[in-house]
Amino acid sequence: MKNENIKIIDTELLSDNWYTLNKVTFEYHKKDGSVETQSRETYDRGNGATILLYHKQAKTVVLTRQFRLPTYVNGNENGMLIETCAGLLDQDNAETAIKRETEEETGYKITDVKKVFEAYMSPGSVTEILYFFVAEYSKEMKVGDGGGHHEEQENIEVLEMSFDDAVSMIATGEIKDGKTIMLLQYAQLHHLLD
């Protein structure tokens, strides 16, 4: 549904070096009848998907650890972040993309995934919508080492840990990634590992 109160006047490309950064100028028709012209920058990197792999009987989850430059330049001392497996859709639908990313990053080949919700993660500046999934895993599903694609300069460490430890790491600050916290809390609220 189109918002009748918004009229885009101009979109100026500021950068397409890695992804796309645009400056969008628009008119905002306010409730009092006045019209305000505003400009905002939007960063478009495409949409993505993320997944929490869990083993109900063992009460474990599979997470990843990798270097994230934006966190490093904003106070994360070593730049390493513990996260749920995730990746861009790259023209695929969300379910196909997360199955692909799961195998690339963790080495697990999963077939049954459940979409649990979707969310804009940083709506003040980033256009991305993220699709959230959960799936059970077992040792038999392990088909490779994971670690990501070398040609994409991915150096991903695969972590298997107890669900309780992962949840505790939110409180200690060892897990600071928003999507990971959301999926771990989803698992808690819905008793996925009970």
Side-chain angles (χ1 to χ4, degrees):
M1 170 167 60
K2 202 93 166 138
N3 187 335
E4 302 292 327
N5 296 318
I6 303 296
K7 181 182 177 189
I8 294 180
I9 299 168
D10 185 49
T11 301
E12 176 187 355
L13 179 66
L14 300 178
S15 173
D16 64 354
N17 186 39
W18 187 251
Y19 297 113
T20 305
L21 179 63
N22 287 310
K23 179 180 178 184
V24 180
T25 304
F26 61 98
E27 289 180 349
Y28 185 84
H29 296 256
K30 297 167 66 174
K31 287 183 181 180
D32 66 6
S34 64
V35 178
E36 199 172 72
T37 300
Q38 299 181 11
S39 290
R40 297 288 185 272
E41 291 180 3
T42 61
Y43 189 59
D44 185 352
R45 58 185 300 265
N47 294 328
T50 186
I51 192 164
L52 178 66
L53 297 178
Y54 68 96
H55 192 294
K56 194 169 189 167
Q57 288 73 32
K59 301 200 179 313
T60 56
V61 294
V62 172
L63 301 175
T64 64
R65 180 175 20 229
Q66 62 184 308
F67 178 76
R68 294 296 198 180
L69 178 64
T71 73
Y72 185 68
V73 299
N74 191 26
N76 183 2
E77 198 170 286
N78 65 9
M80 301 302 284
L81 213 59
I82 296 174
E83 308 174 48
T84 49
C85 170
L88 295 177
L89 301 187
D90 294 331
Q91 309 304 316
D92 284 329
N93 66 51
E95 184 175 318
T96 300
I98 200 57
K99 288 177 181 177
R100 178 192 70 238
E101 290 295 327
T102 300
E103 188 171 341
E104 288 174 8
E105 290 190 5
T106 70
Y108 286 93
K109 186 174 186 69
I110 55 173
T111 55
D112 297 320
V113 299
K114 177 183 175 187
K115 181 182 164 203
V116 292
F117 54 86
E118 54 191 64
Y120 291 101
M121 297 301 291
S122 189
S125 58
V126 180
T127 61
E128 178 185 37
I129 192 163
L130 195 58
Y131 299 91
F132 289 75
F133 292 87
V134 295
E136 289 193 65
Y137 76 95
S138 66
K139 300 291 182 199
E140 295 75 37
M141 296 175 181
K142 189 80 165 164
V143 296
D145 293 333
H149 273 304
H150 179 71
E151 59 272 9
E152 293 177 14
Q153 297 179 312
E154 292 180 321
N155 297 293
I156 299 169
E157 180 185 354
V158 181
L159 308 173
E160 184 178 36
M161 65 181 67
S162 81
F163 177 66
D164 290 341
D165 285 349
V167 170
S168 295
M169 292 170 79
I170 297 170
T172 63
E174 293 169 87
I175 292 180
K176 292 183 180 181
D177 176 63
K179 67 185 178 299
T180 305
I181 293 168
M182 291 167 73
L183 278 172
L184 289 170
Q185 290 179 339
Y186 174 89
Q188 273 188 305
L189 289 170
H190 292 86
H191 308 285
L192 290 187
L193 287 94
D194 290 345

